[in-house]
Structures are given as structure tokens and as C-alpha cells.
Amino acid sequence: MTTLTKTEGEKAPTGPDSFLSVRDLRVRFSTEDGIVKAVDGLSFDVERGKTLGIVGESGSGKSVTNLTVLGLHNPKTTTVEGEILLEGQDLVTTPEKEMEKLRGNKVAMIFQDPLTALSPYYTVGRQIAEPFMKHTGASKKEARDRAVEMLTKVGIPQPRTRVDDYPHQFSGGMRQRAMIAMALVCDPDLLIADEPTTALDVTVQAQILDLLKDLQQEFGSAIIFITHDLGVISDMADDLLVMYSGRAVERGSVREVLREPRHPYTWGLLSSMPRLGGSTSQPLTPIPGSPPSLLNPPSGCPFHPRCTFTDKVSGDRCSTERPTLGDGRAAACHLTAEQKQTIFIDKIQPRLR
Ligand SMILES: Nc1ncnc2c1ncn2[C@@H]1O[C@H](COP(=O)(O)OP(=O)(O)OP(=O)(O)O)[C@@H](O)[C@H]1O
Ligand SMILES: [Mg+2]
């Protein structure tokens, strides 16, 4: 578990050395109702060989962010601004033809539902072999051998036979493994896993998470890991990004953010989610109110209409001034550092036990 090697107070990665560096990303969709601001000024970094966890309520823009990194958005209805620098190459301005060469090769994605990624009409083996042939120029025979090798790696029994099965002949857990095999067949430098194990039972989930960790060790891939499960996040991620309303509201190492969260939204999120090893006597507290409209987001801090601490900030700053997220370990909130610490210790921490 890589998280254990991190020390308290360590800064989240920033700057040009990052493998992936997203800067002031804005993604907007034109809809019949108006412009949906799904991602609104988001910046984050992922280091090579490290895992960035992303958490946030449904609709906070996690999937849109990552689909945009892969260039999987409809250019007719989507406006993308800002920078997505992959080893310095800006994916926002990279032509689609070149993105096709990157996808499945240098950058790959594991989706929540394997049936969105696997076609029912082709054998599992063919679907693993094809991106390998396309990106490496391998022969059919070599690619088939590679598919068998990948199925072996992800723990599919009798891979030489099962390689010729169709996805429906696989169980749900096996399909998830097959999709992981497909995502990893070209040893991607960046793997995006969007709730990769949510649909699976706990035992298979644990096996797949172990598998991802092993593969990361072997290939040194960077991983972006999206999940609602804090236990999984603390096990898998090095750094953590908390998203709200298409923005980053808090960032730091996983340890720092989970042990001493600094943003009222993160407090709400942690109080509303079951904790690994937490006592069951503390009831979960849902965040009051509902996520903001992305058509007409609140002014100032997008969380202010749901925040119970706005009276601690002088004037009407929370509703008029957008708080910025500093570098490294940071939270985008107008409360002072001292206030955040006091409120956390007095009011929030007791709830999290
Ligand atoms: N093509 C689109 N057109 C219009 N709105 C969209 C489109 N795709 C996504 N959205 C909106 O963008 C917002 C962010 O969606 P996204 O899928 O990124 O949320 P998420 O954080 O991944 O949520 P979840 O945890 O439920 O997966 C949502 O309000 C969604 O309805
Ligand atoms: Mg999503």
C-alpha cells in the first residue's frame, strides 16, 4: 500500500514535473435549457506511478473531467477550455486523429460498467488483441498470445479457452477483469478507473484492487481513481482531490485529507459516508440541501447555500467571492486556517469516530 510511505505534511504534487497536469479546465455543454458548466476552473496534477483519488457527490464532474482527458466528448455540443498537459503535450488542442493513437495506448480507461466498453458481438480475446495490434503493429498470432497473457494476468481461469468466449459467457467479475485486461494491454502510462469495482461483490472487488496495485508496480502507470468508497480510496490512492460543482474544493495526500479535512464540504462528505473501521454507533449525517444547479451555479463559493459555517466569515464573502484553492495541501474556503482547525476538532471529528 503506497499510502503508508507518505508522511504527514507532505505536499500534493504541483508544477511542471507532473505526468498529467490539468490547468483551469472548463467543460461546458450546450443544452436546450442553457449552458451546463460541468467543469469550472479545475486544476490538478498526477505524478507518474502514483494514484490520484477523486471523490465528490454525484454530478460534481468527475466523469466529465476524465472523459475530457481522453478526448471522449462530443465536440459539437461541448466547449473545452484550459490545459490538459500529458508530459507537456496539451490534449485540449491535440487533433482527434492523434488522440486516437493515445487512447488505449498511452492513456486507457476502465469504466464502471464493462458492458459499455465490451462489444457483445466480438470474442473477449479479439477485443483485447485489437488495440494491441493497432498500437504496436503486432501480428494476429502475437496479439492473440498477448490476449491470453493478459487474461492470465487478470486471473481468468483457463485463459487459452476463455479467450474465445463472448462477453456474455463471462460472469460480471470476469467481464470487469477482461475490461481491465483490455485497458492494460498496451501498458498505458495513465490509467483512469471510474468506479471500477462498484458493481462487484467485496471479494472480487478486493482481488481487482490488488491486481491494479500489482500492475501499477509492474508498469509504473499513473492512475486516476474515482470512487464513492472512502475505504477503497484510502487503500488505493496517494493523493486525493475533492470535487464540488465542477471545481476542486480540497486537495492533499489521502492521509491528510481523510485525517484532517479542511473544507466544510469534505466534512459533510465524510460525515455522510461509511468509514472503514469506523464505529457503527455514529449515525451517518447527510449533507443538507441538494447539489447546485450547473446551469446557474451559486455566486461566490458554490457550497455556500449548503454550508453551516458561513456566519463565521465576515461580511458576505461566501456568497460574493469565489475562494481560490492554493498550491499543495489546500482547501478553497474563506474560513481562516485556525477556524478550520477549531471547527474540525470541536464539531466534526467526534462525528467521524
Ligand atoms: N453530454 C452532456 N450534456 C449535458 N450535461 C451533461 C453531459 N454530460 C454530463 N453532463 C452533466 O454534467 C454534470 C457532471 O456529470 P458527471 O457525469 O461528470 O458527474 P459525476 O461526478 O461523474 O457523477 P457520478 O458520481 O454520478 O458518476 C452532471 O450534472 C451531468 O448531468
Ligand atoms: Mg461519474
Side-chain angles (χ1 to χ4, degrees), residues 117-130:
L118 294 171
S119 161
Y121 305 116
Y122 299 105
T123 62
V124 168
R126 180 168 168 187
Q127 293 183 66
I128 300 171
E130 235 153 48

Side-chain angles (χ1 to χ4, degrees), residues 60-294:
S60 55
K62 307 180 296 296
S63 296
V64 168
T65 299
N66 287 294
L67 290 169
T68 309
V69 170
L70 287 169
L72 292 174
H73 50 273
N74 179 352
K76 287 201 183 113
T77 54
T78 317
T79 317
V80 180
E81 286 168 356
E83 289 178 325
I84 300 172
L85 300 170
L86 184 72
E87 288 187 310
Q89 178 183 3
D90 189 356
L91 303 185
V92 172
T93 52
T94 297
E96 172 55 21
K97 269 219 152 8
E98 221 178 299
M99 284 304 291
E100 273 175 25
K101 287 188 204 149
L102 290 176
R103 268 198 300 268
N105 185 19
K106 195 164 176 169
V107 187
M109 180 143 178
I110 302 172
F111 297 86
Q112 177 172 0
D113 175 7
L115 294 178
T116 58
L118 294 171
S119 161
Y121 305 116
Y122 299 105
T123 62
V124 168
R126 180 168 168 187
Q127 293 183 66
I128 300 171
E130 235 153 48
F132 190 68
M133 284 196 285
K134 180 177 155 196
H135 293 300
T136 65
S139 70
K140 252 188 167 162
K141 162 88 177 61
E142 287 163 339
R144 186 187 156 86
D145 289 347
R146 175 72 174 171
V148 172
E149 183 193 337
M150 291 310 293
L151 288 177
T152 312
K153 247 183 199 151
V154 298
I156 300 288
Q158 290 113 39
R160 289 196 178 278
T161 327
R162 304 305 299 250
V163 72
D164 295 319
D165 280 357
Y166 288 86
H168 71 265
Q169 293 170 285
F170 273 30
S171 71
M174 283 165 72
R175 280 198 287 264
Q176 195 74 13
R177 285 162 189 257
M179 184 173 51
I180 293 174
M182 195 164 98
L184 296 171
V185 67
C186 295
D187 307 343
D189 294 326
L190 174 66
L191 178 70
I192 299 175
D194 194 346
E195 310 209 27
T197 56
T198 314
L200 303 175
D201 68 58
V202 180
T203 320
V204 180
Q205 174 173 332
Q207 286 168 357
I208 286 183
L209 297 179
D210 280 344
L211 179 71
L212 286 178
K213 281 192 258 184
D214 291 349
L215 294 165
Q216 184 174 44
Q217 287 246 308
E218 189 178 339
F219 299 125
S221 318
I223 300 181
I224 297 179
F225 200 100
I226 304 170
T227 177
H228 285 101
D229 188 327
L230 290 177
V232 169
I233 276 287
S234 64
D235 185 23
M236 293 297 292
D238 299 289
D239 296 298
L240 187 59
L241 187 74
V242 182
M243 281 187 71
Y244 187 77
S245 191
R247 306 175 190 188
V249 294
E250 181 156 5
R251 159 184 358 96
S253 75
V254 155
R255 272 190 168 209
E256 291 166 331
V257 178
L258 294 185
R259 272 202 196 163
E260 208 181 310
R262 293 183 186 165
H263 195 286
Y265 174 63
T266 317
W267 295 338
L269 203 60
L270 296 186
S271 309
S272 68
M273 288 173 162
R275 284 173 85 78
L276 194 72
S279 83
T280 44
S281 59
Q282 282 295 335
L284 298 177
T285 325
I287 305 175
S290 44
S293 154
L294 298 175

Side-chain angles (χ1 to χ4, degrees), residues 41-56:
L42 178 69
S43 300
F44 65 87
D45 295 84
V46 190
E47 276 182 275
R48 188 182 287 279
K50 292 278 171 72
T51 299
L52 174 74
I54 303 186
V55 290

